[in-house]
């Protein structure tokens, strides 16, 4: 096995639907500019409330990708 | 922009359906007595098991609201 | 009420569907060998990405059960 | 099982006797104004010293109770 | 020394001036409704940015006060 | 000194008497099935309340023992 | 409300004046290359000492900005 | 009120009796060489086991005292 | 990809040589009784000192393995 | 570059003026007895309240200095 | 001394040799594209196991560098 | 077994060779002035980079020793 190096960036996705949708939103949006995303880890789950109901969900992720040579 | 002050309370919602439903339960129940809830942050996700299956989900939130003058 | 002792084990469940499904997977698989599971607590939520989309979700749990005499 | 919501408050009890007495002090004092306290969790244990001896113990608790409809 | 019980609440103050002013804002606003505030502890310092400059500072505090009998 | 390997398990003991009794309960119960327990570390102290009084104490421990060859 | 994605970077600002000045330094310097900075969160406050006095203050921030499409 | 400076040291006390006795042991022993101890905070509670019973308790404290001019 | 479940155990390895050797010791010893160990994560690095020199190193690991059906 | 060893001590400074003044107070007071202080790191910011206003600020620091041979 | 700003990125290096080699791998690979790396801090040490032996080590670092004007 | 009291100090050792050498450096240097060092625990591992290579490693330890009567 050869040596390799990963980089991690922190992203926050948001969605009116729920937590899993907010994660998918962040990953799919980030994949437009970052090639080779491999994994994510949830670091914070928040949400905003309007008129007594959850209006949108906001999930912060660490996202890891391979550094290309 | 004027100065303002928020207060945070800690609530735990519970639901047999899943984690997002437990959050909605806590927010909607709390909105009956707290006006002006603005945001929440998930601090713990637990659940209880009966007969080898998840019987209900329990999510603890910090919930922030504006202090009215 | 009598004295009793619980034991906790750490498990990671995985599912292509979402976070709640990954938890259910871990609990149902573990219930085949551990009797008397009572509760779980989520300690980490991760996922793996293929072709710019979430391919599977991976949730780590602390799972508590009663020690039988 | 029906959905329900818990609220958590943070209290600090104090006693010259020891840590368990400081917890009991906080719980019994709080029960005068909060109905339906269900559980507590210790979050900090401190104490004050006078003339080289522990003069009183101070224990901080998160205390959970059911929100009544 | 007699036994006594403290309660802690979490507040967020905000100010365009700086971090110390945001703390003073929260304490002075809370003192209008809570008697006998004794201490605070800073738990988070954030801020919001407009046009490349800090527009206001936001400091979250745990605030402790004596429970009156 | 020779190399050796320890294993840690997480246990929760409970007692109506107090925190030290809950620890002793967990250690003595676990010693029936685990030989060579060497040490423990307290990771959480909780309790349950009935009728405004502490009904039982619950202490979670990491318990370490030597792996036998 | 539409879905959107934020990115977070970690910066350290430094100033001989004090902590608030070190934060302003980091935000104003970063705004030269990052458009749409929205918020920051302080994660560490340090300083360096020369001849028994604080010579400069060093504040580390997480800084969040909107990812442009 | 005048400005003053406190110093904190970390100590571990031990006792065969229980956790409170281990704290008292550390405070009383330290008071022989440190004047003006004011407070302590428990940071770790451990113990050692012999023949399936708790043989001694070990409590680690941060201990604060006034620096004398 | 199929669903699967991992279990994590906590082990402490020890060696007079250094930290990497203490990790290898724990993994190789544990592999005698646990099949399918996949990964480890270091959670604590300690050591014991005799006559003013490091006598042995002690590294605690979380070790993950696949639960076999 | 030669090998060297630093020692860290924990100090708490206090001031009626604000957080930066409390840090300077601790550093300048400590420099009377500790030579070669190099850096500090803020670990806690608290304050005491009298008559609904911040009466003094209290900042706890880790302070590092070179051990002289 | 003039004001300056640092940026931090998170990298993971990997090596079959050991933990120090995994750190060197990450630093040397990152130096090809980031000028002026000044320091690193280890945030996680993991490894992967094959056939009961450590196959490669994986160390995650925060890496700080000066922002050039 | 008799009661005894330990004290902990925090030290940082540094070495151009690697992490284990930085620990040995701190322990051997501290043993010149502190008798009866018993154990250490690593709390932080950092390093400094020059010309794209690790120039020296810096490891912070908590070091425990017996208080002599």
């Amino acid at each position: 096995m050869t040596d390799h190096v990963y980089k991690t960036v922190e992203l926050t996705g948001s969605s009116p639907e729920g937590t899993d949708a907010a994660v998918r939103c962040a990953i799919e949006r980030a994949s437009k500019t970052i090639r080779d995303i491999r994994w994510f880890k949830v670091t914070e789950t928040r949400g905003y409330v309007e008129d007594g109901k959850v209006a949108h969900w906001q999930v912060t992720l660490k996202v890891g990708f391979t550094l290309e040579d």
Side-chain angles (χ1 to χ4, degrees), chain A residues 9-30:
Chain A
V9 293
E10 192 172 286
L11 300 174
T12 301
S14 131
S15 165
E17 282 173 58
T19 49
D20 289 0
V23 173
R24 285 192 185 97
C25 165
I27 294 295
E28 290 170 21
R29 171 66 186 74

Side-chain angles (χ1 to χ4, degrees), chain A residues 47-64:
Chain A
Y48 292 90
V49 178
E50 285 167 20
D51 300 326
K53 291 191 181 301
V54 182
H56 66 276
W57 306 75
Q58 204 177 60
V59 183
T60 300
L61 309 172
K62 289 202 170 189
V63 173

Side-chain angles (χ1 to χ4, degrees), chain A residues 33-48:
Chain A
T33 51
I34 303 173
R35 277 196 292 171
D36 289 318
I37 294 183
R38 297 293 173 87
W39 56 267
F40 65 87
K41 178 181 164 180
V42 173
T43 57
E44 195 176 66
T45 302
R46 304 176 74 97
Y48 292 90

